[in-house]
Amino acid sequence: MKLAVVGGGSTYTPELIDGFARLRDTLPIEELVLVDPATDRLELVGGLARRIFAKQGHPGRIVMTSDLDAGVADADAVLLQLRVGGQAARNQDETWPLECGCVGQETTGAGGLAKAMRTVPVVLDIAERVRRTNPNAWIIDFTNPVGIVTRALLQAGHKAVGLCNVAIGFQRKFARLLDVAPAEVHLDHVGLNHLTWELGVRLGGPDGENVLPRLLAEHGDTVADDLRMPRALVDRLGVVPSYYLRYFYAHDEVVKELGTKPSRAAEVAAMEKELLAMYGDPALDEKPALLAKRGGAFYSEAAVDLASSLLGSGGSAVQVVNTYNRGTLPFLPDDAVIEVQARVDGTGAAPLAVPELDPLYAGLIANVTAYEDLALEAALRGGRDRVFKALLAHPLIGQFAYAEALTDKLIAHNREHLAWA
């Protein structure tokens, strides 16, 4: 089995490598290709990757290359984890929206649109090159904004599934609080990427006992603290919202908070500098503890589970993924991309049925889906007017003056990445 990781020079990659090494019986990789144009980073990350494999006795071969076509040739699956523009572009996404009083974040609001505008054309080009070399390869997208990027891939006819680590993070936290094995915890996870709610926490499988009321009664303070939301809000909802919902439920508070500290991108850039120095140490043969602060917890386990099911080595499994709606949420078009539990096998992902959604959640999902429609149109076709309409449609913006100002800022800060600008 051959896997290729595009964006293999990311400081995330050792987390992925560690999972591949530990779970090699689930996903028997013979060749792993790390693809990245940043050859200096790639050498550091790839060197550590080889040492991790060697320490854990993995027989697979790790190859590093900056040649995309050679790297993805004959790959059974290609995992995308790229960041167009790097942390510098992310820093802009997180700062210029604040100048208009709107949240600055790399996956939602104006910053999220900017990232989609930069990312979608690049990802589609990569996917076309994958299709030319191996039309049967699966594309696993971990590149944000996952929902929009996955929809772009699916609409272009690619064999693609989107993946996020939010659900597996909740599963592991809830398992720890309930003192059960993670495999025992099944989530009624519903929504869009970075806009989800856990409507139920079931033990033993999709039809198991819903222990969410007990979880909130016994551990509500811990859950609320993790979300950085008031316990009273969580209790009133009776569900567990993704921590990304804080941008919606406490927008003004978050904007004020973000204006008083360095951006997350600045923090990550400093962390990456330190991580890369560690990766260059020939004595290091495991992922460093600092990597846990970088983000992406349990990303490797989720990636292994998904790849093994898609490629047939792990059989059919139920996993939270991003895929076409296909009637799962009846108030959305079939070709909307949603994030729910799905049955995954060699044919792809088939969403499981979900409970009927309260209008409190369905309304916001529908609103953000409409924004994502417009955002994808802007990313594919360009143009100031399309950018403006997407921003005006976003529930975190929604005002003419804000949308006008943010449109100009988005284009000014991303001109080098926008062919039409």
Side-chain angles (χ1 to χ4, degrees):
M1 181 185 296
K2 176 180 176 180
L3 265 65
V5 179
V6 179
S10 168
T11 53
Y12 270 134
T13 300
E15 164 68 26
L16 187 65
I17 299 300
D18 177 73
F20 286 163
R22 287 185 292 102
L23 303 170
R24 55 185 175 273
D25 292 338
T26 303
L27 189 66
I29 299 171
E30 296 168 292
E31 182 177 353
L32 178 64
V33 184
L34 305 181
V35 184
D36 204 298
T39 55
D40 53 341
R41 292 172 62 110
L42 189 59
E43 287 298 319
L44 295 172
V45 173
L48 174 58
R50 285 173 173 166
R51 295 191 298 273
I52 291 173
F53 262 31
K55 180 181 181 180
Q56 299 197 32
H58 194 297
R61 184 167 72 107
I62 295 179
V63 177
M64 292 97 78
T65 182
S66 59
D67 185 332
L68 176 67
D69 293 320
V72 302
D74 301 319
D76 296 290
V78 178
L79 197 152
L80 305 180
Q81 57 171 31
L82 57 148
R83 183 183 296 281
V84 180
Q87 294 298 332
R90 177 182 180 176
N91 185 66
Q92 292 181 350
D93 295 344
E94 294 176 342
T95 52
W96 54 261
L98 296 175
E99 298 169 9
C100 297
C102 294
V103 71
Q105 212 277 331
E106 65 159 343
T107 65
T108 192
L113 177 61
K115 193 171 195 303
M117 298 287 295
R118 295 191 303 270
T119 305
V120 166
V122 174
V123 165
L124 289 179
D125 176 66
I126 292 169
E128 285 300 327
R129 293 162 75 173
V130 171
R131 180 152 56 188
R132 285 200 298 269
T133 60
N134 183 6
N136 293 317
W138 279 102
I139 295 177
I140 298 173
D141 178 59
F142 195 71
T143 296
N144 282 320
V146 168
I148 295 172
V149 172
T150 301
R151 186 169 182 182
L153 288 165
L154 290 172
Q155 285 189 176
H158 297 289
K159 293 174 61 178
V161 180
L163 182 64
C164 180
N165 70 322
V166 167
I168 194 171
F170 274 133
Q171 181 202 43
R172 300 305 171 88
K173 288 177 183 177
F174 295 162
R176 188 169 60 250
L177 292 173
L178 295 167
D179 195 25
V180 299
E184 290 295 303
V185 177
H186 177 95
L187 303 177
D188 291 338
H189 179 101
V190 182
L192 311 176
N193 180 240
H194 289 187
L195 192 87
T196 53
W197 296 263
E198 310 307 329
L199 304 184
V201 177
R202 301 183 182 277
L203 296 183
D207 299 319
E209 177 192 3
N210 181 14
V211 297
L212 178 58
R214 172 162 66 88
L215 178 73
L216 293 180
E218 296 177 359
H219 304 285
D221 287 341
T222 299
V223 171
D225 287 347
D226 284 346
L227 298 172
R228 300 188 64 203
M229 295 182 191
R231 168 74 186 269
L233 172 61
V234 177
D235 285 343
R236 290 181 71 176
L237 294 176
V239 303
V240 179
S242 160
Y243 41 86
Y244 287 95
L245 265 298
R246 185 167 182 260
Y247 298 115
F248 294 81
Y249 294 159
H251 177 273
D252 294 353
E253 177 185 335
V254 172
V255 168
K256 186 181 298 184
E257 175 187 297
L258 293 175
T260 64
K261 62 180 184 179
S263 69
R264 173 63 177 164
E267 294 175 353
V268 170
M271 200 180 305
E272 286 194 331
K273 185 176 180 180
E274 188 175 350
L275 283 169
L276 289 170
M278 291 179 176
Y279 295 171
D281 180 357
L284 183 67
D285 56 7
E286 60 185 14
K287 63 178 183 180
L290 178 62
L291 187 55
K293 297 182 180 179
R294 172 68 179 82
F298 310 115
Y299 155 44
S300 60
E301 284 90 339
V304 167
D305 288 346
L306 179 55
S308 65
S309 293
L310 291 173
L311 299 178
S313 63
S316 173
V318 173
Q319 185 174 2
V320 173
V321 297
N322 285 260
T323 191
Y324 272 150
N325 177 44
R326 299 190 188 96
T328 307
L329 299 180
F331 53 89
L332 295 183
D334 284 350
D335 65 351
V337 166
I338 60 174
E339 185 172 289
V340 293
Q341 292 274 13
R343 176 71 62 180
V344 183
D345 58 23
T347 66
L352 302 184
V354 302
E356 182 177 355
L357 285 185
D358 187 293
L360 179 63
Y361 315 125
L364 186 53
I365 291 171
N367 190 339
V368 175
T369 298
Y371 151 75
E372 290 189 349
D373 290 345
L374 295 167
L376 182 54
E377 183 76 1
L380 292 173
R381 301 180 62 191
R384 186 186 188 281
D385 193 51
R386 292 188 182 93
V387 174
F388 167 78
K389 287 179 178 178
L391 290 169
L392 188 63
H394 201 293
L396 294 181
I397 301 166
Q399 296 185 51
F400 169 76
Y402 287 170
E404 277 281 275
L406 289 168
T407 297
D408 291 336
K409 289 179 182 294
L410 185 154
I411 294 171
H413 284 284
N414 292 275
R415 196 175 299 275
E416 66 180 294
H417 300 289
L418 307 176
W420 53 268

